[in-house]
Amino acid sequence: MTTLQIGALARRTGTTERLLRYYEEQGLLSPARTAAGYRVYQEADVDQVRRIRTLLTSGLNTATIAQVLPCLRDDDGRLVPTCPQLVGELHRERARLTGSIDALTASRNLLDEVITAAPPELTAQLAGPAAPLDGTGPVPDRTGAAAGPL
C-alpha cells in the first residue's frame, strides 16, 4: 500500500499543504498519523482531493462538499451522484448560484448605466479609448492610464 506525506499529496494534486490541512479541518480529508504526528495519506486521497477541487470550482462551499462527498462516485473523471437526496441538494445549490449570477448581472448593469451617463469631458480624460462595458478592455488605474485588460 502506497502512502504519501502531505508534501507529496500537495504536489500530486496541485494544491498546497496549507489547503490540505484546511480540508482536514473541514472534515473533507482524514489522514492517518504516524507516532511522530505526521499526516499519512493514501493513494485514494489523491482522487478525493481532486473531487473536492472539482466541487469547489463548481461553486459549492466546503460545508456542502462535506455533506455530498459520501454520495458521489468517480466514473472516469466524472462525478456521479449515488444517493437520491443528493440530486435535489445539487438542484438547490444550482438555483443559489443562478440567483447570485442574476444579482451580479443586475449590479453590473446598474454600474454600466452610471458609467454611460458620464459626460464626455470625463471620459476624454482617460488615456486612450474608454474601457468596454463587458470588462474585456483596458481599465484605468489610479493615475487614469489604461492598465490593460482585466
Side-chain angles (χ1 to χ4, degrees), residues 55 60 64 67-73 78-97:
L55 293 169
L60 300 181
T64 302
Q67 293 174 348
V68 304
L69 267 178
C71 289
L72 289 173
R73 69 175 164 81
R78 184 173 175 212
L79 295 179
V80 178
T82 60
C83 303
Q85 75 276 11
L86 179 57
V87 175
E89 176 68 22
L90 293 175
H91 277 290
R92 285 186 289 282
E93 284 297 320
R94 187 181 189 288
R96 181 188 61 80
L97 287 172

Side-chain angles (χ1 to χ4, degrees), residues 49-131:
V49 171
R50 289 182 179 141
R51 283 190 289 275
I52 293 165
R53 303 290 295 158
T54 297
L55 293 169
L56 285 168
T57 301
S58 75
L60 300 181
N61 60 44
T62 55
T64 302
I65 292 170
Q67 293 174 348
V68 304
L69 267 178
C71 289
L72 289 173
R73 69 175 164 81
D74 194 329
D75 186 14
D76 290 327
R78 184 173 175 212
L79 295 179
V80 178
T82 60
C83 303
Q85 75 276 11
L86 179 57
V87 175
E89 176 68 22
L90 293 175
H91 277 290
R92 285 186 289 282
E93 284 297 320
R94 187 181 189 288
R96 181 188 61 80
L97 287 172
T98 298
S100 295
I101 291 167
D102 292 346
L104 285 170
T105 300
S107 296
R108 184 187 63 200
N109 291 343
L110 288 172
L111 187 57
D112 288 349
E113 287 180 29
V114 172
I115 291 169
T116 58
E121 61 272 13
L122 291 180
T123 58
Q125 293 175 3
L126 295 174

Side-chain angles (χ1 to χ4, degrees), residues 129-140:
L133 296 180
D134 65 2
T136 60
V139 176

